[in-house]
């Protein structure tokens, strides 16, 4: 069966609209940082730690006090997540991983038990497991630097302990958590 030329043309135009409109809407809604522009062909320099220690300190407080809201600014913002992810329902996925982050904080607090009130931040350690995530990898429409298997080091009394921070990504030149624990 032969498809009429007009139908083929309408299909191609509709397909182009699906590909172009989200990018156009993205440009209208969100300011895309230089380090995350879709047209990058080479990775920009990997961002330094910036204020990670300050936000990691608040994460330890959030865990110790069982108050996830103290560490909300260490998690990637909804707006940045929407800009990065090229999936049908980025808000649904965001809600899921944000809930996981808060649940992880509650679970870590429970694991500390009686030691919770004595937990003190020591340092944040970036691992060597890093990569430039290119356009279209991991269902994304913007590239970014990713850091995996990092460590939040804290102390209870004289004992140093560690919490793995599973995945962080850089939005512009600032690091954010997207998975505190393993994605489930």
């Amino acid at each position: 069966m032969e498809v009429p030329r007009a139908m083929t043309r309408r299909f191609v135009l509709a397909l182009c609209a699906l590909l172009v409109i989200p990018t156009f809407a993205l440009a209208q809604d969100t300011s895309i940082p230089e380090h995350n522009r879709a047209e990058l062909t080479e990775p920009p320099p990997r961002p330094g730690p910036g204020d990670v220690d300050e936000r990691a300190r608040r994460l330890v407080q959030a865990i110790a006090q069982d108050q996830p809201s103290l560490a909300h600014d260490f998690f990637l913002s909804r707006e940045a997540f929407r800009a990065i992810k090229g999936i049908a329902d980025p808000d649904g996925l965001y809600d899921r991983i944000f809930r996981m982050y808060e649940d992880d904080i509650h679970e870590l607090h429970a694991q500390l038990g009686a030691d919770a009130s004595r937990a003190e931040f020591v340092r944040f350690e970036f691992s060597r497991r890093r990569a430039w995530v290119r356009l279209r990898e991991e269902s994304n429409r913007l590239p970014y630097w990713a850091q995996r298997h990092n460590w939040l080091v804290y102390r209870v009394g004289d004992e140093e302990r560690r919490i793995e921070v599973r995945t962080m990504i850089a939005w512009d030149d600032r690091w954010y958590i997207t998975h505190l624990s393993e994605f489930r």
Side-chain angles (χ1 to χ4, degrees), residues 54-63 66-79 94-95 97-106 174-178 180:
E54 176 185 322
R55 291 182 293 141
R57 182 179 310 279
R58 287 196 302 274
L59 178 55
V60 169
Q61 289 173 339
I63 293 166
D66 199 19
Q67 292 184 28
S69 63
L70 296 174
H72 280 176
D73 70 334
F74 205 178
F75 196 83
L76 185 68
S77 74
R78 181 181 298 274
E79 292 75 25
Y94 184 87
D95 291 342
I97 64 174
F98 188 75
R99 262 192 320 274
M100 285 175 46
Y101 179 68
E102 289 190 320
D103 289 347
D104 288 340
I105 291 171
H106 291 305
R174 198 168 187 215
W175 290 100
Y176 295 93
I177 295 173
T178 57
L180 187 51

Side-chain angles (χ1 to χ4, degrees), residues 25-41:
L26 178 64
Q28 298 295 322
D29 296 342
T30 305
S31 176
I32 306 302
E34 285 299 315
H35 295 107
N36 300 95
R37 296 258 178 227
E39 61 272 5
L40 289 174
T41 56

Side-chain angles (χ1 to χ4, degrees), residues 3-39:
V3 177
R5 193 173 212 150
M7 284 182 70
T8 303
R9 187 168 189 264
R10 280 194 299 263
F11 174 77
V12 169
L13 289 173
L15 182 60
C16 287
L18 286 173
L19 296 173
V20 172
I21 288 172
T23 304
F24 177 76
L26 178 64
Q28 298 295 322
D29 296 342
T30 305
S31 176
I32 306 302
E34 285 299 315
H35 295 107
N36 300 95
R37 296 258 178 227
E39 61 272 5

Side-chain angles (χ1 to χ4, degrees), residues 93-170:
L93 180 56
Y94 184 87
D95 291 342
R96 180 178 172 199
I97 64 174
F98 188 75
R99 262 192 320 274
M100 285 175 46
Y101 179 68
E102 289 190 320
D103 289 347
D104 288 340
I105 291 171
H106 291 305
E107 288 173 26
L108 289 164
H109 173 78
Q111 289 171 14
L112 276 174
D115 290 338
S117 65
R118 299 180 328 141
E120 297 176 4
F121 173 76
V122 174
R123 68 184 168 278
F124 188 88
E125 296 176 355
F126 280 104
S127 74
R128 295 193 179 274
R129 294 196 57 189
R130 60 186 71 126
W132 175 247
V133 181
R134 297 186 183 285
L135 199 64
R136 293 181 187 66
E137 290 179 28
E138 299 183 5
S139 301
N140 62 322
R141 63 180 169 188
L142 294 175
Y144 52 86
W145 276 104
Q147 278 284 158
R148 291 177 173 71
H149 307 286
N150 307 287
W151 296 100
L152 179 63
V153 181
Y154 68 101
R155 179 185 351 264
V156 174
D158 293 335
E159 179 187 0
E160 262 192 18
R161 301 179 185 177
R162 301 158 67 88
I163 296 170
E164 182 182 30
V165 176
R166 191 64 171 219
T167 307
M168 298 176 73
I169 69 170

